[in-house]
Amino acid sequence: MASHRTSCLLILYIILHVGVITHANEPVISQDSVVSGISDVSSSNTTYPTFYGSKGNTKPDFPKTMPRTIPCPAPGDIWPCACTPIDNVTMDINCSNVTSDGQLRYIFSREFPFRNFRSLVIQGNFHVNALQEGDLGTCSFVNIDIRDSALITIDDFALEGSLDTLEALVLINNNIRYIPDISAFSRLNRLDFQYNALTEFPFLNSSTLQTLILRGFPFGVIPPTATWYLPALAYADFAFCYLTEISNGTFTHNEQLSYLELGSNSLKSIPKDAFRMSGANNTLLLQGNLISDVDPEAFSGITGKLTLNSNRLQVLQEEIWRPLLEANVMLYLAGNSFTCGCDIAWLILNPTLLWRVHDEATCFTGQKFVELDPAWYINMC
């Protein structure tokens, strides 16, 4: 009888023990999965749709419970773009790693908790060729920086979400052939458009633009009216543009202009009324040209620095240069082959004016102005 009871207990123990082991090896289904009727099975190699010629995107397996960083969107919603919060009310978004125009459009079509960004950055990207209307959704930006990319076109309406917010548009070293219309941007103050694919000087119209940088284009000439419709322009840079001439009056209509860069071009002469600067301590840079002739009335209003290094000047006519030096202009003349004859006696014999010519100014012999003997000019001129 005791033996029979022992056998029954042993059989019961085995049944219970096997059941526990079997149950322990069953998959655990979360409460959320039970509610939805779908098992919580995830894959680390989820493949998302291919966008316009891309080879497919393998999206990282973002945890479903991964929180977004206020005020940024959830990382999984905007990948491969990345949002960085700057503070509680400011955020930047970097989309340098998108693989097609279509992917960029898809990302910005998502529901963002907040849509006002400080900056949009796309750098070193060779997949996005165009920005069309709607590609950036309804997001707005204060700064847009796209550089070192394959971007060819920007539609006039591509940035319409930023008409009231955009302050700086930086488009450097791309392949853009046309500058979009900037006239409707109410706060735009900086346009940096270096080394793209323009072939002629663009027509620009903006009541707010203060800084304009157009470097590295084969313009040859700048139209006389080029900056007439930029009344707030204070800083302009047109270096490395193969300029061969400047028409009189070209830079005389911008009453706020205080910095003008025209270096590394092929200018040979400066005509009457070519420049009219404003403001205190302003700057005109003409270094690295072929200038040998300057009209006595070429410059007006310069009060700060005038750079003519590495040109082809040989004489310094008093009627041209004395008024500038007497207005406390600092004159930079290194790299010219001056004859240093009686034409500069007025300068060498006036220590106050000579002090305003940078020390590196030299004669064709290599002798510096400051090393010339005033006695030569007293006795021989």
Side-chain angles (χ1 to χ4, degrees), residues 1 4 8 11 25 41 58 126 171 208 231 284 322 330 334-335 361 372:
M1 187 72 174
H4 178 72
C8 290
I11 292 171
N25 288 322
V41 180
T58 301
F126 294 97
L171 303 167
T208 60
L284 174 59
R322 177 185 281 274
M330 289 300 297
L372 297 174

Side-chain angles (χ1 to χ4, degrees), residues 39-115:
S39 298
D40 186 15
V41 180
S42 62
S43 170
S44 60
N45 293 311
T46 303
T47 300
Y48 283 71
T50 298
F51 294 92
Y52 295 88
S54 72
K55 295 182 179 180
N57 272 335
T58 301
K59 187 173 181 179
D61 187 20
F62 293 104
K64 292 186 177 181
T65 58
M66 184 177 182
R68 65 184 179 89
T69 304
I70 301 293
C72 284
D77 290 344
I78 61 171
W79 186 88
C81 294
C83 178
T84 302
I86 306 304
D87 53 42
N88 287 336
V89 295
T90 308
M91 57 183 176
D92 295 343
I93 188 166
N94 188 314
C95 290
S96 300
N97 294 323
V98 295
T99 59
S100 71
D101 306 351
Q103 186 183 49
L104 187 69
R105 187 181 187 94
Y106 172 75
I107 289 169
F108 282 98
S109 70
R110 305 298 300 274
E111 287 296 328
F112 289 11
F114 301 98
R115 291 187 165 271

Side-chain angles (χ1 to χ4, degrees), residues 127 174 257 341 353:
H127 303 288
N174 304 293
L257 189 62
L353 298 184

